[in-house]
Amino acid sequence: MPLVNPYCDVDAVYEELRSKEPASETDSGIESEIVEAAINAASRWIERHKGRDYVFHDYSEDALIIRGGIGDGIVSGKFILLPFSPIITLESLVISDEEWVADEDFVFEVGGYRLTCLTGDWPITCPAHTVEIVGEFGYAQASSAV
């Protein structure tokens, strides 16, 4: 089983357990497939427990879409809490087909998790209102599997 976005590697588990992969049927140790399954399960548990993931989310081509009233992201008054953080880059923000300007209409901090409206509450009150965000979020990774 390949590792998918693991938070440690097989060697680290072997070292922690003071074990190794068995070299023969009579050799003691833990099969690497069992260790890989445990690492994947533990990595997903961490994400569920923390309520987030620690991977890269690239929305530089196709926008991240948040709908008012439901789903990914939370719109509350003058804040939009993004479903992925931290913000790496934010190239554009469009609300119901109207482009908003950073530092005039809203602000965000690189490394942050929310957008703050400078003109009052966000005009997002129903599922028909959409927020389209072009940018990159999360943590850069060389690949999704190690």
Side-chain angles (χ1 to χ4, degrees):
M1 166 180 289
L3 295 176
V4 179
N5 296 322
Y7 297 121
C8 68
D9 61 21
V10 172
D11 291 337
V13 172
Y14 281 143
E15 184 178 322
E16 182 68 25
L17 296 175
R18 296 186 181 115
S19 185
K20 59 183 167 66
E21 184 162 12
S24 68
E25 288 187 28
T26 59
D27 197 6
S28 65
I30 304 169
E31 296 286 337
S32 63
E33 291 82 14
I34 293 170
V35 174
E36 289 171 350
I39 291 170
N40 282 334
S43 297
R44 301 303 72 83
W45 183 90
I46 290 167
E47 292 170 351
R48 285 190 306 276
H49 179 72
K50 298 296 283 183
R52 62 179 294 187
D53 62 32
Y54 297 89
V55 298
F56 181 68
H57 297 276
D58 186 358
Y59 286 93
S60 59
E61 297 289 324
D62 297 320
L64 168 63
I65 298 176
I66 298 173
R67 298 193 181 282
I70 59 170
D72 292 333
I74 299 171
V75 179
S76 177
K78 64 179 184 172
F79 301 111
I80 295 177
L81 304 178
L82 299 174
F84 309 118
S85 64
I87 299 168
I88 299 171
T89 64
L90 198 145
E91 297 171 25
S92 71
L93 182 131
V94 175
I95 298 179
S96 300
D97 298 323
E98 179 185 336
E99 183 145 3
W100 285 52
V101 179
D103 298 325
E104 284 183 29
D105 299 319
F106 71 97
V107 293
F108 72 97
E109 291 183 34
V110 171
Y113 63 94
R114 72 180 184 192
L115 308 173
T116 304
C117 183
L118 297 175
T119 61
D121 289 348
W122 290 101
I124 305 161
T125 57
C126 69
H129 298 151
T130 60
V131 180
E132 296 178 32
I133 304 169
V134 175
E136 296 175 337
F137 311 92
Y139 300 86
Q141 293 178 289
S143 72
S144 62
V146 172

